[in-house]
Amino acid sequence: MEVCVDSVESAVNAERGGAGRIELCAGLVEGGTTPSMGLLQVVKQCVRVPVFVMIRPRGGDFLYSDREVEVMKADIRLAKLHGADGLVFGALTEDGRIDTELCTALLAVCRPLPVTFHRAFDMVHDPVVSLETLISLGFERVLTSGCDSSALEGLSLIKRLAEQAKGRIVVVPGGGITERNLQRILEGSTASEFHCSARSARDSGMKFRNPNVAMGASFSAPEYSIKVADVAKVRTLNAIAKNIL
């Protein structure tokens, strides 16, 4: 059970709930971006489960400029320096294929740590061909919602990918997984790992509040509500998974 988190509190809660691995990110509203190295340092001090670090310099697409690539390489080196147990990234060409040249270069910087190809996979032109590409490149895992809006919606493709993989790469369902659908997803996909956020909203401790100001774009998360990994949700998901697996 991998839980994606963007704070020390969420990381601690994920471990307390039984998570086997943490994916550490910033910007979960954007699907996850590279976390600060300060966050990584403190999380590593607070949890014992493996911490995989997201390497994604911005939100949006997965077509990166030369300067963005330099940022990604620098972030990988820093993440390794500060104790990352694995890395998570993805890169595509403009025509929706795996960017093999860039992935090869980034994998070389990541080694010897294990690497997951993230949900950039859900934006590929041909998932069957792309999976073979990831296997040939040497990725240990691929995170996917089955190229659909959620893992439940993409369940049939996730199952086909898991069958195609034949143990050569771990296909990890992720995207909209909750205690209500986890059993269907695990049974329907035959997956042995899964990815979730298991978050609940927690009210801010601020007593004085200014309702007229927002700190981000109009679609951003509200300032006075914080989403954190919920220990009870993590435990429930973990129990469901252990019962099935």
Side-chain angles (χ1 to χ4, degrees), residues 88-177:
V88 182
F89 71 79
L92 304 179
T93 62
E94 63 183 12
D95 58 352
R97 302 176 200 282
I98 305 295
D99 190 331
T100 54
E101 184 178 348
L102 175 51
C103 286
T104 299
L106 293 177
L107 282 165
V109 184
C110 290
R111 295 307 185 204
L113 297 182
V115 186
T116 301
F117 193 93
H118 61 43
R119 286 188 61 201
F121 185 84
D122 292 323
M123 303 300 185
V124 297
H125 175 70
D126 187 332
V128 171
V129 171
S130 294
L131 187 69
E132 292 301 324
T133 302
L134 295 184
I135 292 166
S136 68
L137 288 170
F139 283 90
E140 278 77 11
R141 292 176 179 82
V142 55
L143 176 63
T144 179
S145 63
C147 301
D148 215 319
S149 57
S150 71
L152 189 61
E153 296 293 326
L155 188 54
S156 60
L157 179 58
I158 295 172
K159 183 180 181 182
R160 291 205 304 275
L161 293 170
E163 290 169 348
Q164 178 188 342
K166 294 178 182 170
R168 295 176 296 160
I169 190 171
V170 181
V171 177
V172 185
I177 292 182

